[in-house]
Amino acid sequence: MHIDPKSTVPIYKQIVDEIRRAIEAGVYKAGECLPSLRALAMDIHVNPNTVQRAYDELEREGTLESRRGVGVFVADRRQLAVQRGAERRTMRALSGVVRS
């Protein structure tokens, strides 16, 4: 992973972009565990809070999933699509009830 501390792009955004690229390139596959935030922070010489911020952003967008006490994993896109479909159906049903 290459991080440029002199870049105008915040370091956590660089980490997010690098992890996305690694997933797209097949370096990390669905269900695979990523390095712990402390290990990654030490490897790229940044504060662990910076890595946590990147992991949090990727988790919010559904790219990663955190399993307490186990680690951070690449989310299964198929499972994510099923969940989002269920969420859309639920929202449509609720909207119909609210309009009534």
Side-chain angles (χ1 to χ4, degrees):
M1 181 175 295
H2 176 71
I3 301 300
D4 181 4
K6 295 179 184 175
S7 173
T8 58
V9 177
I11 292 174
Y12 86 95
K13 282 285 197 188
Q14 292 181 52
I15 296 169
V16 166
D17 292 341
E18 288 289 318
I19 291 173
R20 281 188 193 131
R21 276 194 281 276
I23 292 169
E24 289 169 5
V27 175
Y28 297 116
K29 297 178 180 17
E32 188 171 344
C33 187
L34 268 63
S36 72
L37 68 98
R38 292 184 201 282
L40 183 56
M42 287 178 53
D43 186 43
I44 60 177
H45 307 288
V46 298
N47 188 302
N49 292 330
T50 304
V51 176
Q52 181 67 58
R53 187 170 178 189
Y55 278 8
D56 286 345
E57 181 168 321
L58 289 163
E59 188 172 355
R60 273 191 304 277
E61 73 182 27
T63 302
L64 300 180
E65 61 183 4
S66 179
R67 299 179 194 160
R68 188 170 296 279
V70 180
V72 178
F73 295 81
V74 177
D76 185 347
R77 292 288 188 183
R78 292 170 300 205
Q79 180 182 359
L80 183 61
V82 169
Q83 287 174 334
R84 286 191 176 153
E87 288 171 3
R88 280 193 298 274
R89 287 189 299 277
T90 302
M91 291 305 291
R92 274 183 281 195
L94 288 173
S95 294
V97 170
V98 171
R99 284 187 209 137
S100 300

